Amino acid sequence: MNEKAKQLGMKNTHFMNATGLHHSDYYTSVKDISILLQYALTNNTFRDIYTAERYLIKSTNLHPEGMTLTSRMFKNLNVNENTRGEIIGGKTGYTEQAGLCLASLATINGEEYILVTVGAKGDSRTEQFNITDALAVYRQLS
């Protein structure tokens, strides 16, 4: 992961795990996360999953019926806004150190925008300020 980060030009990132959970030697920046997201969105399978409210994974030996992944971002977006608004994809995150985070994709007036928000107050049981912050920024663009 660190080698790929360097190849992508992510100059302020050092991964220590694939989960994003806190580690004293794990660091990144919002700019680097936006670089990673922009690259990942060029993969059609990733884009399909990233922009789906629900995504069915085909059957495997461990899950013969397949698995349905549900987007926590869309669930919380619907609760907070009762509409998807302009946000068409996103990945939420939370650690005590980073606060509520969101890497999102929106379409506004036919243009795509990536926004990474970090450090929002709260946690998974509170209002999702990471989402409301992103909505406020995106509304300024429309």
Side-chain angles (χ1 to χ4, degrees):
M1 287 174 34
N2 289 312
E3 183 59 36
K4 187 64 171 182
K6 286 179 190 173
Q7 290 172 7
L8 294 174
M10 298 168 63
K11 296 177 182 173
N12 297 300
T13 295
H14 183 260
F15 294 111
M16 291 301 294
N17 58 58
T19 63
L21 295 178
H22 181 73
H23 185 286
S24 59
D25 293 328
Y26 187 139
Y27 56 88
T28 192
S29 67
V30 293
K31 180 179 180 181
D32 282 1
I33 294 298
S34 68
I35 290 168
L36 180 60
L37 179 54
Q38 184 175 13
Y39 171 76
L41 287 167
T42 65
N43 178 292
N44 290 332
T45 301
F46 176 86
R47 182 180 274 271
D48 289 346
I49 295 169
Y50 187 77
T51 59
E53 289 188 46
R54 287 187 177 78
Y55 188 85
L56 177 63
I57 295 176
K58 296 177 184 177
S59 64
T60 68
N61 60 333
L62 296 176
H63 300 281
E65 294 84 34
M67 284 180 53
T68 301
L69 304 177
T70 304
S71 169
R72 181 173 290 202
M73 194 249 348
F74 282 127
K75 177 184 167 216
N76 288 318
L77 183 60
N78 289 334
V79 167
N80 289 333
E81 287 294 309
N82 202 22
T83 178
R84 286 181 54 173
E86 303 292 341
I87 297 178
I88 62 170
K91 169 67 178 89
T92 60
Y94 172 79
T95 66
E96 189 173 308
Q97 296 80 6
L100 289 166
C101 304
L102 174 64
S104 61
L105 174 67
T107 302
I108 301 170
N109 300 322
E111 296 288 328
E112 285 191 345
Y113 294 88
I114 290 174
L115 176 67
V116 178
T117 59
V118 299
K121 295 192 184 315
D123 59 40
S124 61
R125 297 176 303 276
T126 66
E127 182 176 343
Q128 297 301 286
F129 293 108
N130 50 343
I131 296 172
T132 55
D133 288 350
L135 287 168
V137 170
Y138 286 132
R139 282 194 188 107
Q140 296 298 314
L141 299 173
S142 47

